[in-house]
Amino acid sequence: VETYTASVVGGTGFTGGELLRLLAGHPNFEVVQATSRSADNMTVGRSHPNLRDLDLRFSDPDDLESVDVLFSATPHGVSMGRVDDYFEVADTVVDLSADFRLPEAAMYDEWYDGHESPEYLERAEYALPELNRENLPGADLIAGGGCNATATILGLKPLVDAGVLGPDSGEVVVDVKVGSSEGGAGGGAASSHPERSGVVRPYAPTGHRHEAEIEAYLGLSVSFTVHAVDMVRGASATCHVFPDEPVSKADLWKGYRGAYADEPFMRVVSGGGGVYRYPEPKSVAGTNHGEVGFELDPGNRRVVVFSAIDNMTKGSAGQAVHATNVALGLPETAGLEFGGLHPVGSP
Amino acid sequence: VETYTASVVGGTGFTGGELLRLLAGHPNFEVVQATSRSADNMTVGRSHPNLRDLDLRFSDPDDLESVDVLFSATPHGVSMGRVDDYFEVADTVVDLSADFRLPEAAMYDEWYDGHESPEYLERAEYALPELNRENLPGADLIAGGGCNATATILGLKPLVDAGVLGPDSGEVVVDVKVGSSEGGAGGGAASSHPERSGVVRPYAPTGHRHEAEIEAYLGLSVSFTVHAVDMVRGASATCHVFPDEPVSKADLWKGYRGAYADEPFMRVVSGGGGVYRYPEPKSVAGTNHGEVGFELDPGNRRVVVFSAIDNMTKGSAGQAVHATNVALGLPETAGLEFGGLHPVGSP
Amino acid sequence: MTTDTDPVLAEDPITGEEIELPADVEVGEIIDSPVTGTELEVISLDPVTLEEAPELEEDWGE
């Protein structure tokens, strides 16, 4: 069995913890280092109770050990400053922040605070395999997609591929609902439990960063709004689109099944029976699955597309491991087979 | 002090319970009857723990007592068949179902299962005072607005009044998030706690009934989608609109403050500081308040409007009592002064 | 005759309306507008001029 050594930089955050969970359970990986400034020398299990069996203590991010693959789960702006150090110790670098996610430096000037090492942008490959699989084999710098953009791209890609939507389509409205893990583990009054339970809180009334990412990879200009709702994990994107030509349910099924029938992690869920008739974060919580579905609204010449993922897995750590499996030529679903729980509480 | 006698038909449901709560606490009302087939002769407090102090037992809906005002909190299709009986015992009838909500019988053929007493539609007045105040004094048949339509109308009315939106505007997308009380107290697997906690579940992917009501009262054709989220009470409507002419923040503030500065129950909440920067069901839970706010998205020529209400109060029982206060010439806020709680759990 | 505890008048930069501010307001102070709730920064005194405070940088996470 081929095994690779891996390290996780930024191991105490939610995303870092998920990477450690997936990699520790992955047949082809051995986790040799997890770094943290705040919890240096503490056990990983102290931060992540589901990892108490992992015999590993956090170490200082300034003494990086050499590994085959380094995963960086740090906030925006960190890995763009450390990427040279990363490549000194690792053959492959997988970054889960936005630092290498957008293709051009100019976009970082507009939507972030510029870029410290723009020369790496050309070399970076966008992680989402459902969109970029052919460019991943052998890639040595992989950039994880943003979770909101991931949910939206997975929902709308089949319509773009089928020519139903294009750059000059009418309005594309994307209304996203996300859990509290998306705000990261950051503190602050707004994310305290008393203030956060039972919210439907506009979190990003207009979402330029997500729009820039979606436009870069789908060629669609979208109008984006994000709300925080009462979940910890999960992202649900509802896309309201108005195709120029009328489209039928048969076209939609053909487009979505055509796009995803062979994708190991994608499910088309649309108007079937039972309780879970459309895509829902509960159905995919903890898994690397994505659920997409649609409803036709002829009266308004509208198609409503639903797309649900777990922002911690399909939206970040799972997508990073999936892309790394493809980059290293490993089985795509290796380490990513968990199918979720039912019944399950708030994800 | 002028007092009126009141009865509530359908007293065991959530809406019936809220009506009993508001009327029992109202200085100008005395609740003399609450009917229920299923809980006949049981105390009201058995169904509604917050009403254990109310010395009243449910009685049979076929022995209606004569009262000044009869409130009907029955499912759709009941009061249209009983309205003659109601008027035999009451001077004013306030119906909280959809039975007298739409202005024309043809709309009931299209969106419901026809209408048993269409002759009453002309006489019925739409309850929402912020929209229909001048027609309420002396009205003797009042029809409560639907909660999703109420949230949407309150959010968009200022833009229609200011001429920013009109019948031939571009797409108007309304993406609503609601709590579980909206589905009423009905059972079924889908509304069991294990299946309902932590949902972001498309509940009405396309919402024709709501669209018909909004079109009838705002003259706007909208594209509607409703999701159930993890709340019990609360409705939050996010409206994505694309005005033909550019609009400024000053125009928006002028329009919204102009529409609502003198409205006792409306608050304009838009981009201020603190945790609750935009309208939110938590901020209005249990109150008859409505919060509206907006954000300008020039890049997409879009205005995003947020509107949050409590579907149990502003969206039904509170709106009914508010309209009745206006109809009887009582102080508008009588019995509706509760200002909500903070901190508060999931509404 | 204004005393130093009388509220100060200034123009709300968003709606142009005249708003009352606490008398002891200082340059650089952030206050929320009584009209819009928006956070405003005191740019100068005499006359008191206000500007929209820099947009709260949302923690976008992901």
Side-chain angles (χ1 to χ4, degrees):
Chain A
V1 166
E2 279 168 276
T3 55
Y4 296 84
T5 54
S7 61
V8 173
V9 175
T12 53
F14 290 145
T15 305
E18 279 293 90
L19 278 169
L20 289 167
R21 169 175 75 88
L22 294 173
L23 293 168
H26 195 304
N28 306 93
F29 276 100
E30 189 207 344
V31 180
V32 300
Q33 183 180 26
T35 78
S36 161
R37 284 195 205 290
S38 56
D40 191 4
N41 282 332
M42 301 282 190
T43 62
V44 167
R46 176 176 170 279
S47 297
H48 307 294
N50 55 335
L51 301 181
R52 286 196 175 109
D53 297 343
L54 186 56
D55 180 15
L56 188 64
R57 287 182 175 276
F58 288 114
S59 50
D60 191 315
D62 294 334
D63 335 331
L64 293 175
E65 294 173 37
S66 73
V67 285
D68 298 316
V69 187
L70 180 149
F71 293 84
S72 173
T74 47
H76 304 324
V78 174
S79 36
M80 63 169 67
R82 301 210 56 199
V83 60
D84 295 324
D85 308 341
Y86 291 165
F87 275 116
E88 264 159 40
V89 295
D91 302 331
T92 305
V93 173
V94 184
D95 179 46
L96 280 78
S97 81
D99 288 6
F100 301 101
R101 192 180 283 170
L102 298 177
E104 286 129 33
M107 301 171 92
Y108 284 93
D109 300 331
E110 187 168 4
W111 305 118
Y112 292 90
D113 321 323
H115 204 290
E116 280 174 60
S117 25
E119 67 281 9
Y120 278 98
L121 290 178
E122 179 63 27
R123 177 171 164 187
E125 284 299 342
Y126 194 63
L128 190 61
E130 287 82 358
L131 187 85
N132 196 31
R133 181 177 280 108
E134 63 279 6
N135 298 321
L136 285 169
D140 67 353
L141 176 56
I142 297 173
C147 33
N148 295 333
T150 295
T152 307
I153 289 170
L154 292 173
L156 294 178
K157 181 172 179 303
L159 294 185
V160 173
D161 292 352
V164 173
L165 283 185
D168 47 26
S169 294
E171 307 308 346
V172 176
V173 173
V174 182
D175 191 302
V176 185
K177 295 86 181 167
V178 298
S180 52
S181 61
E182 209 187 274
S191 54
S192 71
H193 184 271
E195 303 284 24
R196 202 51 188 69
S197 4
V199 292
V200 178
R201 176 173 297 160
Y203 169 66
T206 53
H208 309 303
R209 291 178 177 174
H210 318 286
E211 292 171 4
E213 184 178 346
I214 294 160
E215 192 148 8
Y217 293 103
L218 262 195
L220 264 189
S221 111
V222 303
S223 298
F224 216 82
T225 295
V226 188
H227 308 75
V229 296
D230 200 348
M231 297 187 292
V232 172
R233 307 166 71 111
S236 161
T238 303
C239 314
H240 307 267
V241 303
F242 301 84
D244 311 329
E245 305 305 320
V247 65
S248 71
K249 249 197 178 162
D251 302 335
L252 291 171
W253 275 107
K254 192 157 156 289
Y256 278 87
R257 292 195 61 247
Y260 293 139
D262 306 331
E263 286 291 348
F265 293 112
M266 295 304 293
R267 310 278 182 273
V268 182
V269 178
S270 197
V275 170
Y276 299 83
R277 306 186 53 228
Y278 290 97
E280 240 191 88
K282 257 168 93 93
S283 322
V284 294
T287 80
N288 201 47
H289 296 152
E291 285 187 349
V292 292
F294 44 81
E295 196 53 67
L296 204 56
D297 179 14
N300 294 308
R301 289 178 306 97
R302 175 178 61 138
V303 176
V304 189
V305 175
F306 302 104
S307 173
I309 62 171
D310 180 330
N311 58 300
M312 290 275 93
T313 42
K314 189 69 173 165
S316 57
Q319 178 181 140
V321 171
H322 182 195
T324 307
N325 284 347
V326 177
L328 300 177
L330 294 167
E332 284 206 23
T333 62
L336 296 168
E337 280 93 1
F338 176 57
L341 303 174
H342 179 257
V344 69
S346 179
Chain B
V1 167
E2 280 168 279
T3 56
Y4 295 85
T5 53
S7 61
V8 174
V9 175
T12 53
F14 291 146
T15 305
E18 277 294 89
L19 278 168
L20 289 167
R21 170 175 75 85
L22 294 174
L23 293 168
H26 196 303
N28 306 94
F29 276 100
E30 190 209 342
V31 181
V32 299
Q33 184 180 24
T35 78
S36 161
R37 285 196 204 289
S38 56
D40 191 4
N41 280 333
M42 301 283 189
T43 63
V44 167
R46 176 178 172 279
S47 296
H48 308 293
N50 55 335
L51 301 181
R52 284 196 177 111
D53 298 344
L54 187 57
D55 180 15
L56 189 64
R57 287 183 175 273
F58 289 114
S59 51
D60 191 314
D62 295 334
D63 329 334
L64 293 174
E65 293 172 36
S66 72
V67 286
D68 296 317
V69 187
L70 180 149
F71 294 83
S72 173
T74 46
H76 305 323
V78 174
S79 36
M80 61 169 70
R82 300 210 58 198
V83 59
D84 295 323
D85 307 341
Y86 291 166
F87 274 115
E88 266 158 41
V89 295
D91 300 332
T92 306
V93 173
V94 183
D95 179 46
L96 279 79
S97 80
D99 288 7
F100 301 101
R101 191 180 286 170
L102 298 178
E104 286 129 30
M107 303 172 91
Y108 285 91
D109 299 331
E110 188 168 5
W111 306 119
Y112 293 90
D113 323 323
H115 203 292
E116 279 173 61
S117 22
E119 67 281 10
Y120 278 98
L121 290 176
E122 179 64 24
R123 178 170 163 188
E125 284 299 343
Y126 194 62
L128 190 61
E130 287 83 359
L131 187 85
N132 197 30
R133 180 175 283 107
E134 64 280 5
N135 296 322
L136 285 170
D140 67 354
L141 175 56
I142 298 172
C147 33
N148 296 331
T150 294
T152 307
I153 288 170
L154 291 172
L156 294 179
K157 181 175 180 300
L159 294 184
V160 172
D161 292 352
V164 173
L165 283 185
D168 47 27
S169 293
E171 307 307 345
V172 176
V173 173
V174 182
D175 190 301
V176 184
K177 296 87 182 168
V178 299
S180 51
S181 60
E182 210 185 273
S191 54
S192 71
H193 184 269
E195 304 284 22
R196 206 44 193 71
S197 7
V199 291
V200 178
R201 175 174 296 161
Y203 167 67
T206 54
H208 308 301
R209 289 180 177 174
H210 315 288
E211 291 171 5
E213 184 177 346
I214 293 160
E215 191 147 7
Y217 292 103
L218 262 194
L220 265 188
S221 110
V222 303
S223 297
F224 218 81
T225 295
V226 188
H227 308 74
V229 295
D230 199 349
M231 297 186 293
V232 172
R233 307 166 71 109
S236 161
T238 302
C239 314
H240 307 267
V241 304
F242 301 85
D244 310 329
E245 305 304 323
V247 65
S248 71
K249 238 181 188 178
D251 301 334
L252 291 171
W253 274 107
K254 194 156 156 288
Y256 278 88
R257 289 191 62 242
Y260 293 139
D262 305 331
E263 284 292 348
F265 294 112
M266 295 303 294
R267 310 278 182 273
V268 182
V269 178
S270 197
V275 171
Y276 298 84
R277 305 186 57 227
Y278 291 96
E280 236 192 273
K282 256 168 93 93
S283 322
V284 294
T287 80
N288 200 47
H289 297 153
E291 284 188 351
V292 291
F294 45 79
E295 196 52 70
L296 206 55
D297 180 14
N300 294 309
R301 292 180 305 100
R302 173 178 63 139
V303 176
V304 189
V305 175
F306 302 104
S307 175
I309 62 171
D310 180 328
N311 58 300
M312 289 276 94
T313 41
K314 189 70 174 164
S316 56
Q319 178 181 142
V321 172
H322 182 194
T324 308
N325 283 345
V326 177
L328 300 178
L330 294 167
E332 283 206 24
T333 62
L336 296 169
E337 280 93 1
F338 177 56
L341 302 173
H342 179 257
V344 69
S346 178
Chain C
M1 206 278 286
T2 59
T3 69
D4 55 20
T5 57
D6 283 350
V8 170
L9 295 178
E11 189 189 280
D12 181 309
I14 296 180
T15 63
E17 285 177 46
E18 196 171 66
I19 52 176
E20 275 187 9
L21 301 178
D24 59 358
V25 79
E26 289 159 6
V27 173
E29 195 175 347
I30 305 280
I31 48 160
D32 52 333
S33 153
V35 171
T36 65
T38 309
E39 299 205 330
L40 304 174
E41 189 174 352
V42 180
I43 302 303
S44 66
L45 296 176
D46 207 9
V48 175
T49 46
L50 302 165
E51 248 177 33
E52 229 179 309
E55 183 59 45
L56 297 158
E57 207 30 61
E58 290 279 342
D59 166 9
W60 291 48
E62 306 142 52

